Amino acid sequence: MENDGCETSLYYDMYKEDNIGSKIISTLKCDNFDNSKMIEFLKNKIRQSMQTHPHLNCRFVNYSWQKIKDVDLDMMILSLDKTYDQIIETEINVPLPDTLPGWRVFLVKNNCIMFVCEHVYGDGAFISNMIQELFDDKSLNNIPPLRHKTKLSWLSKIILFFKILFLIFKRFNLSKSTVDVDDNKCKQICLGQLSLSELKNIRSRFSCSDGTHISINDILHTILVYSNALYFKKDMISSAAMFNMRSNDNDYASKNKLGFILLTNKVKTEGPPEDVLRDVHEFMQFYKETPITPIISKCMNLLYALNPIRTYNALQGINKSVDFIISNFVLRYKDKSLNDGIKINDISACSASGTAGQSYTIVTYGDTLTINLTYKRRKINDINKFVQCYNDSLLWIKS
């Protein structure tokens, strides 16, 4: 997609609706560092990034990038006597100043560096590339992406294509919305951290009769589907997943290259995890192995070009109607450090969710997956109960 194409413009439409829009907030948890030295280090690195990515000097206004003259990095990179939680509470509910570029870097208590960026500037892959530019060592630790070749025949793909289209039509009800559109107040919580090694062990217990492989993403999505089924006492959970459509690791010409997929999964809370997992897996295979994903992308661009307002409203309608949105990003590195060998112990992210009732952001760094949830307070009014449902879901998938 083009730099100022449909996806970037859609995020700007979201911003126009509530002056907050969608933000990505990435956090590096580090060893102890000296704030003044770190600020100078970050200034130098950001200056280099602004040369590589000129739109960081700009603001997206009236559907085009407008350069901000004389960007003062002292206004963009700040050391604050606040905690991570205090910054999150503000950033997911309050817009960034509109006279400066739509990003900030905060150094906060407990040795955290937080990068806050409006989603128009880039997707998760783009932001990850920028963070990587901060590392002393930019190598990827030789951690290969986990890919399995499909064994589905063309006939199986055709059957799967029409089966899942039928299930979406049958199961998904666009009219149901449990979120008050006027309620823009969000909360954020870290649901927890999971071991990638443990998830791989869980995955090894499950198999598919069609010769395809259960993925870690299938496992994670199933955990969240079951958590929602327990909390909302529903036997049908709908979700939208955001994913990276870039063709390779260095494909950063476009600032946003997001794919959008819709799942609607049937759940029997008293049943075994195999049933829900295979239902989730079939939907994932539908988007991976059939041409539906490029079809959706091309149709979205075409419809937006013909009627931007109606296309935006339709997508926002889906966001309001699904139970949750999920974005899962695997960072293919570990054990990284910044200037002077300051070790990065963890990397995580969350997002301001726009009109969605729940937005999950999962980031994998080394062997650790961090799951953050941004939610509307009218969507989940008892977060302690929801956390218990999530913990019960973990026990269920391990059983």
Side-chain angles (χ1 to χ4, degrees):
M1 294 184 181
E2 297 298 324
N3 288 350
D4 298 345
C6 171
E7 291 168 316
T8 297
S9 296
L10 279 169
Y11 281 121
Y12 180 63
D13 289 333
M14 191 181 295
Y15 172 81
K16 287 198 306 178
E17 183 175 272
D18 61 6
N19 289 324
I20 299 173
S22 180
K23 297 178 184 175
I24 302 176
I25 304 173
S26 303
T27 303
L28 282 66
K29 297 181 180 179
C30 308
D31 283 344
N32 292 338
F33 57 76
D34 180 275
N35 277 25
S36 59
K37 290 183 179 179
M38 183 60 72
I39 286 178
E40 289 306 311
F41 165 76
L42 290 172
K43 282 182 180 179
N44 290 331
K45 288 291 186 177
I46 293 295
R47 286 190 188 101
Q48 296 172 24
S49 293
M50 293 170 84
Q51 293 294 321
T52 307
H53 312 293
H55 69 303
L56 293 176
N57 294 283
C58 304
R59 187 93 188 189
F60 199 71
V61 180
N62 295 327
Y63 301 98
S64 65
W65 291 103
Q66 297 184 7
K67 184 175 175 59
I68 304 293
K69 293 183 179 180
D70 301 322
V71 176
D72 184 357
L73 290 183
D74 287 331
M75 300 288 291
M76 309 297 295
I77 304 173
L78 305 171
S79 177
L80 302 177
D81 188 26
K82 292 184 178 181
T83 65
Y84 166 88
D85 290 333
Q86 289 172 324
I87 295 293
I88 289 290
E89 183 74 16
T90 300
E91 294 304 320
I92 61 177
N93 290 299
V94 177
L96 291 168
D98 59 8
T99 57
L100 295 168
W103 57 268
R104 289 292 183 282
V105 179
F106 298 117
L107 282 67
V108 301
K109 291 181 178 179
N110 300 322
N111 302 299
C112 289
I113 301 171
M114 302 178 68
F115 180 68
V116 181
C117 185
E118 292 176 358
H119 224 321
V120 292
Y121 285 83
D123 59 13
F126 181 84
I127 302 303
S128 173
N129 185 52
M130 285 192 57
I131 289 175
Q132 186 184 356
E133 293 172 4
L134 302 177
F135 298 161
D136 283 348
D137 173 14
K138 298 182 177 60
S139 69
L140 296 179
N141 296 99
N142 297 318
I143 302 175
L146 298 173
R147 293 192 179 102
H148 296 290
K149 291 184 178 180
T150 179
K151 295 182 180 179
L152 286 180
S153 65
W154 279 106
L155 178 59
S156 297
K157 291 182 181 181
I158 292 171
I159 293 172
L160 179 65
F161 184 86
F162 288 104
K163 176 183 178 181
I164 299 301
L165 285 181
F166 171 75
L167 289 178
I168 292 174
F169 176 79
K170 181 179 179 182
R171 293 178 178 181
F172 187 61
N173 181 4
L174 187 61
S175 64
K176 61 180 181 181
S177 175
T178 57
V179 181
D180 186 337
V181 295
D182 294 325
D183 177 27
N184 289 318
K185 297 297 181 183
C186 294
K187 300 284 286 183
Q188 189 267 339
I189 185 173
C190 177
L191 281 179
Q193 293 184 314
L194 301 175
S195 164
L196 182 60
S197 301
E198 184 179 10
L199 287 170
K200 289 178 180 178
N201 291 334
I202 293 173
R203 181 185 62 183
S204 66
R205 294 176 28 231
F206 301 101
S207 61
C208 296
S209 59
D210 61 4
T212 58
H213 295 266
I214 296 293
S215 69
I216 296 297
N217 197 39
D218 295 338
I219 298 286
L220 293 170
H221 207 99
T222 299
I223 291 169
L224 297 178
V225 164
Y226 193 77
S227 302
N228 276 263
L230 289 177
Y231 181 83
F232 294 111
K233 295 181 171 59
K234 294 167 57 177
D235 61 1
M236 201 75 69
I237 299 298
S238 58
S239 56
M242 310 295 287
F243 67 98
N244 175 21
M245 289 186 66
R246 297 177 188 275
S247 58
N248 57 64
D249 292 330
N250 297 313
D251 179 18
Y252 297 105
S254 294
K255 300 171 183 65
N256 283 301
K257 269 200 156 183
L258 296 178
F260 179 88
I261 61 178
L262 179 67
L263 293 82
T264 175
N265 298 114
K266 196 170 184 178
V267 184
K268 290 183 179 179
T269 53
E270 71 280 2
E274 287 85 352
D275 293 343
V276 184
L277 179 58
R278 285 168 185 160
D279 193 62
V280 169
H281 176 72
E282 277 202 328
F283 272 80
M284 293 296 188
Q285 287 295 105
F286 168 66
Y287 290 106
K288 290 177 183 176
E289 308 299 345
T290 74
I292 190 64
T293 300
I295 289 174
I296 291 173
S297 177
K298 291 183 184 300
C299 287
M300 186 174 73
N301 278 274
L302 176 61
L303 292 172
Y304 190 82
L306 294 173
N307 196 321
I309 295 176
R310 292 191 67 176
T311 304
Y312 171 75
N313 288 339
L315 287 173
Q316 290 296 75
I318 293 175
N319 285 347
K320 295 172 188 175
S321 298
V322 297
D323 292 293
F324 67 86
I325 291 177
I326 179 173
S327 178
N328 183 9
F329 201 77
V330 179
L331 305 180
R332 296 199 297 112
Y333 32 75
K334 61 182 179 180
D335 302 327
K336 290 303 179 183
S337 61
L338 302 176
N339 61 317
D340 298 328
I342 295 169
K343 185 179 178 181
I344 300 172
N345 298 313
D346 190 22
I347 301 177
S348 63
C350 71
S351 64
S353 57
T355 57
Q358 299 179 72
S359 178
Y360 296 90
T361 306
I362 304 175
V363 175
T364 304
Y365 174 64
D367 189 58
T368 303
L369 292 89
T370 303
I371 305 178
N372 285 328
L373 165 63
T374 306
Y375 63 96
K376 301 287 188 181
R377 288 181 285 194
R378 292 190 187 181
K379 177 72 173 183
I380 298 179
N381 54 27
D382 188 344
I383 190 60
N384 292 326
K385 179 181 176 183
F386 185 85
V387 171
Q388 184 58 56
C389 291
Y390 167 77
N391 290 330
D392 290 343
S393 183
L394 290 179
L395 294 175
W396 169 79
I397 199 75
K398 295 175 183 178
S399 64

